[in-house]
Amino acid sequence: MKTRGFIFDLDGVIVDTAKYHFLAWKKLANSIGVDFSEEQNEQLKGVSRVKSLEKILSWGNKTISEKEFTDLMTSKNDDYLVHVNKMDENEILPDVTKTLDFLSSTNQSIALGSASKNARLILNKVNLMNKFHAIVDGTNVSKAKPDPEVFLIAAKELKITPEECIVFEDSVAGIQAANEANMISIGIGDTATLHEADYVFRDFTEISENFLKELKKK
Ligand code: B16
Ligand code: MG
């Protein structure tokens, strides 16, 4: 198998931290008198922390000062980290480790491409840090998905051309970013939601070694 770049999103692909983002955003939204549903949480997947708070405020028709905005962001992250700090290897989604190990055994280059500023902490908690040759996260990018920046930086760090990279993503914005970067996009989740992806699987248990070996852009 020739060496290519495999770029993994974090939340929704490697671990399900969306449930913890939900708890923390809900607490914050309710504290300022805004209702917040699981459906709305779906719309925050892959979206940066700043953009997420902006959306919640617009749903609740709220305007706040810059200082309040910063304070709310800090308190949301503090709440989120309470959950993150309890994470361990059991939270890795099915067959993710198996896929990473298969890719390593065939000398593939592996990167993380996440919007999260907590990505390194989370990878440490679930003990996957040593599986990645490059980590690009919310602390390294200036433009959020659907901008391809995060994946293009990852390709550059891996020294693999974008056309030779494959992205695993659970968010619509992330699939659009991968397509914009001219990479092969693989959606993890629901086919209808992720219809812009080259391929969609429910999770990694559906992805065979043969499929990974023979991957082509659709
Ligand atoms: P943080 P991903 C994204 O992670 C989440 O899907 C999104 O809900 C979150 O707002 C964003 O990270 C920022 O996370 O607050 O930890 O910096 O899917 O790009 O791995
Ligand atoms: Mg995600």
Side-chain angles (χ1 to χ4, degrees):
M1 186 173 167
K2 74 170 173 185
T3 300
R4 301 213 271 185
F6 286 83
I7 307 174
F8 290 73
D9 172 52
L10 180 64
D11 173 29
V13 169
I14 294 178
V15 286
D16 176 25
T17 37
K19 58 186 181 212
Y20 303 137
H21 281 297
F22 175 67
L23 292 173
W25 281 130
K26 190 172 170 60
K27 188 171 166 192
L28 175 142
N30 294 351
S31 78
I32 54 168
V34 177
D35 207 16
F36 183 63
S37 66
E38 294 215 31
E39 287 70 44
Q40 284 168 314
N41 193 52
E42 280 300 306
Q43 297 180 47
L44 304 184
K45 282 191 177 171
V47 175
S48 72
R49 204 182 303 169
V50 174
K51 283 259 155 30
S52 299
L53 182 50
E54 285 171 358
K55 273 181 189 268
I56 290 172
L57 293 172
S58 80
W59 290 329
N61 270 322
K62 295 265 170 196
T63 9
I64 57 172
S65 71
E66 231 172 88
K67 162 95 172 63
E68 282 170 307
F69 193 98
T70 317
D71 290 350
L72 285 177
M73 292 250 292
T74 307
S75 89
K76 185 270 170 178
N77 200 51
D78 289 347
D79 282 333
Y80 175 63
L81 290 182
V82 171
H83 302 288
V84 166
N85 278 313
K86 291 183 202 150
M87 289 178 81
D88 63 23
E89 283 152 62
N90 294 316
E91 299 219 22
I92 301 171
L93 290 170
D95 279 3
V96 167
T97 310
K98 189 177 159 207
T99 305
L100 287 167
D101 288 343
F102 168 71
L103 294 173
S104 295
S105 73
T106 55
N107 281 321
Q108 303 304 311
S109 291
I110 306 173
L112 188 88
S114 165
S116 175
K117 292 187 171 164
N118 299 301
R120 284 178 171 80
L121 170 69
I122 295 168
L123 284 183
N124 272 319
K125 295 299 288 181
V126 300
N127 206 13
L128 284 180
M129 198 69 174
N130 62 359
K131 309 267 184 200
F132 294 86
H133 302 110
I135 290 174
V136 186
D137 65 15
T139 64
N140 309 111
V141 296
S142 55
K143 292 176 231 137
K145 300 166 188 175
D147 190 284
E149 184 186 24
V150 60
F151 297 139
L152 291 174
I153 298 176
K156 211 171 181 181
E157 290 199 9
L158 294 177
K159 300 193 175 65
I160 305 271
T161 60
E163 292 73 20
E164 291 295 328
C165 286
I166 295 100
V167 172
F168 297 103
E169 250 297 344
D170 71 311
S171 73
V172 175
I175 293 295
Q176 290 168 341
N179 291 341
E180 187 65 30
N182 281 323
M183 298 178 176
I184 298 176
S185 53
I186 302 184
I188 301 294
D190 171 63
T191 323
T193 314
L194 302 174
H195 62 89
E196 289 172 68
D198 290 314
Y199 305 89
V200 182
F201 297 96
R202 198 173 28 84
D203 59 33
F204 283 89
T205 64
E206 292 185 347
I207 303 182
S208 70
E209 292 182 356
N210 232 19
F211 169 79
L212 294 171
K213 279 184 196 156
E214 281 161 25
L215 258 176
K216 284 187 197 74
K217 179 106 189 140
K218 260 196 179 164

